[in-house]
Amino acid sequence: MSHLFSELSLKDVRLKNRIAVSPMCQYSAVDGLPSDWHLVHLGARAIGGAGLIVAEATAVSPDGRITPGCTGLWNDAQAEAWRPITRFIEAEGAVPGIQIAHAGRKASASRPWQGDAHLDPDHPEAWQPLAPSSLAFGGSLPRVPQAMTLQEIERVRADFVASARRALDSGFKWLVLHFAHGYLAQSFFSPLANQRTDEYGGSFENRSRFILETLAAVREVWPEQWPLTARLGVLDYVPGEQPLEESIELVRRMQAGGLDLVDVSLGFNTPDVSRVPWGEHGFLAPIAARIRREVGIPTAMSWNIREPRAADALIAGGELDLLMLGKAILGDPHWPYRAALALDRAAPYALLSEQYAWWLKQQ
Ligand SMILES: Cc1cc2nc3c(=O)[nH]c(=O)nc-3n(C[C@H](O)[C@H](O)[C@H](O)COP(=O)(O)O)c2cc1C
């Protein structure tokens, strides 16, 4: 039996395998409402056999969207609209998860295929981005964000809590806090984006505060029995960023604050990604393994993993517990079935619904 297809139990959730659909924005919502597109996009990947399906970065407030097409959980109509999606995913034997997020200084942008840049401030759909400091990201995101007041920090924390409650109402059983990719929480942690001089900036303690307080507030409303996880940007690979040891210490404190798993990812606090060692097959694996070993917390990871044997080896080698698949499963919803065929010919049909399995077994 392959390692990729071994079960993973975390709290009261049991994943049938170690393959998760990584959160992937579809930029296809209107007023933050998920639609038939989201049902079919996520549902197809549940049919395809992934153990965990994580819905895209879903904004905790309208100003937390990356683009006008991002999904939300800031009102009850949105919570209602997610319900058929979680129902379908569960009926297919997968676990429904969702990532909640605030886009910070990267907010108010166009969809990738419509420019992937900040909307002009005069655009009818544009809004004022918020951030720890009034420091622009740069590149195609040149807008100078508004530095948040303490009241605004409190408001966004409360928005995370309200969205977590709604995620629960919608039937999600796995919550991912988006603390990566240069969005709001990540930009509080990164000295590349945070130049505050109050209790939310400067020292490691202060830069960690927004993340730890948000986690603690969400922990109070998210039930103990369902996993509370986070995607954390641990490195940007640019001069002037926090040392990796700080990111590891932050994970340690997050675990003490009730985090059940960390998805190790990149910072993306700068448009300069030239030093990221992209390579092939999981360049973040040594860091995920180190965090898993030193902190003793289950880890997940994505980035450039496409080949089943390489994925299986990462799980077998104890480097991570869960594979977050992005583009490979975007291109092929049946990646898990094909991986099962490649790794373990006896089990592949068990991944499929009987509507498909019966026929494919006859081949
Ligand atoms: C279309 C698309 C949308 C994405 N949206 C999100 C997102 O909402 N949240 C997130 O944390 N990462 C997002 N990502 C990053 C993926 O989750 C994943 O980590 C990344 O693509 C690397 O994995 P891969 O090499 O398997 O694609 C997105 C990636 C793609 C391709």
Side-chain angles (χ1 to χ4, degrees):
M1 188 65 185
S2 70
H3 294 82
L4 198 56
F5 290 97
S6 59
E7 291 182 353
L8 175 67
S9 290
L10 195 61
K11 295 287 180 68
D12 287 357
V13 160
R14 192 175 53 80
L15 304 182
K16 64 186 170 190
N17 56 49
R18 308 301 184 99
I19 304 167
V21 176
S22 204
M24 281 183 279
C25 291
Q26 299 297 295
Y27 311 104
S28 302
V30 175
D31 296 331
L33 290 162
S35 64
D36 289 352
W37 174 265
H38 298 86
L39 172 65
V40 176
H41 159 66
L42 298 168
R45 282 150 189 84
I47 291 174
L52 172 68
I53 313 284
V54 183
E56 66 196 71
T58 292
V60 299
S61 55
D63 60 8
R65 293 171 299 165
I66 305 165
T67 74
C70 290
T71 51
L73 263 177
W74 66 81
N75 65 40
D76 293 344
Q78 292 157 351
E80 187 70 35
W82 282 112
R83 223 164 271 147
I85 298 174
T86 60
R87 204 163 44 228
F88 185 89
I89 291 171
E90 277 207 292
E92 289 305 312
V95 172
I98 191 165
Q99 183 184 50
I100 56 173
H102 190 295
R105 64 181 179 167
K106 292 183 168 179
S108 190
S110 57
R111 292 168 181 83
W113 54 88
Q114 292 173 340
D116 206 13
H118 266 149
L119 294 168
D120 187 276
D122 295 331
H123 189 283
E125 287 188 302
W127 64 93
Q128 173 62 55
L130 298 175
S133 304
S134 48
L135 210 63
F137 177 77
S140 65
L141 300 174
R143 260 192 98 168
V144 177
Q146 185 184 305
M148 290 167 79
T149 62
L150 293 179
Q151 287 74 17
E152 280 163 337
I153 291 177
E154 212 170 291
R155 189 268 292 174
V156 172
R157 189 166 59 242
D159 289 339
F160 267 91
V161 171
S163 295
R165 277 208 179 94
R166 289 197 185 94
L168 187 64
D169 288 348
S170 305
F172 289 104
K173 300 219 159 61
W174 183 292
L175 191 65
V176 181
L177 301 173
H178 204 343
F179 293 165
H181 302 178
Y183 297 121
L184 186 70
Q186 170 78 62
S187 65
F188 267 94
F189 182 55
S190 174
L192 300 169
N194 183 348
Q195 295 185 344
R196 295 177 78 95
T197 52
D198 65 2
E199 68 264 39
Y200 286 94
S203 65
F204 164 71
E205 265 70 23
N206 287 354
R207 283 182 286 107
S208 305
R209 196 177 307 281
F210 181 85
I211 284 181
L212 291 173
E213 284 182 351
T214 303
L215 171 67
V218 170
R219 183 73 277 178
E220 285 193 10
V221 301
W222 186 252
E224 268 304 322
Q225 85 225 61
W226 305 137
L228 176 54
T229 76
R231 174 166 268 192
L232 182 70
V234 295
L235 278 183
D236 269 284
Y237 297 91
V238 295
E241 68 177 332
Q242 77 285 347
L244 178 60
E245 286 66 29
E246 274 197 0
S247 300
I248 296 175
E249 179 56 26
L250 177 58
V251 176
R252 192 173 284 117
R253 293 183 189 200
M254 288 161 82
Q255 189 193 34
L259 192 77
D260 297 314
L261 171 145
V262 65
D263 177 357
V264 175
S265 194
L266 292 163
F268 290 134
N269 283 292
T270 156
D272 177 11
V273 292
S274 59
R275 294 179 198 82
V276 176
W278 299 106
E280 276 299 309
H281 299 313
F283 63 90
L284 287 170
I287 299 178
R290 185 172 161 196
I291 291 175
R292 194 170 181 266
R293 193 175 58 244
E294 289 184 17
V295 180
I297 188 169
T299 56
M301 197 193 78
S302 63
W303 298 106
N304 296 350
I305 301 162
R306 292 184 189 86
E307 207 275 309
R309 283 197 190 285
D312 194 53
L314 289 171
I315 308 278
E319 284 161 299
L320 61 146
D321 298 276
L322 184 63
L323 170 68
M324 309 298 298
L325 261 192
K327 289 183 285 296
I329 205 161
L330 200 61
D332 179 4
H334 282 92
W335 191 95
Y337 166 64
R338 279 186 235 290
L341 281 177
L343 290 173
D344 173 13
R345 289 208 59 98
Y349 307 109
L351 282 176
L352 297 175
S353 322
E354 56 195 0
Q355 291 95 324
Y356 292 177
W358 192 85
W359 302 99
L360 294 174
K361 264 192 232 171
Q362 319 298 316
Q363 285 176 355

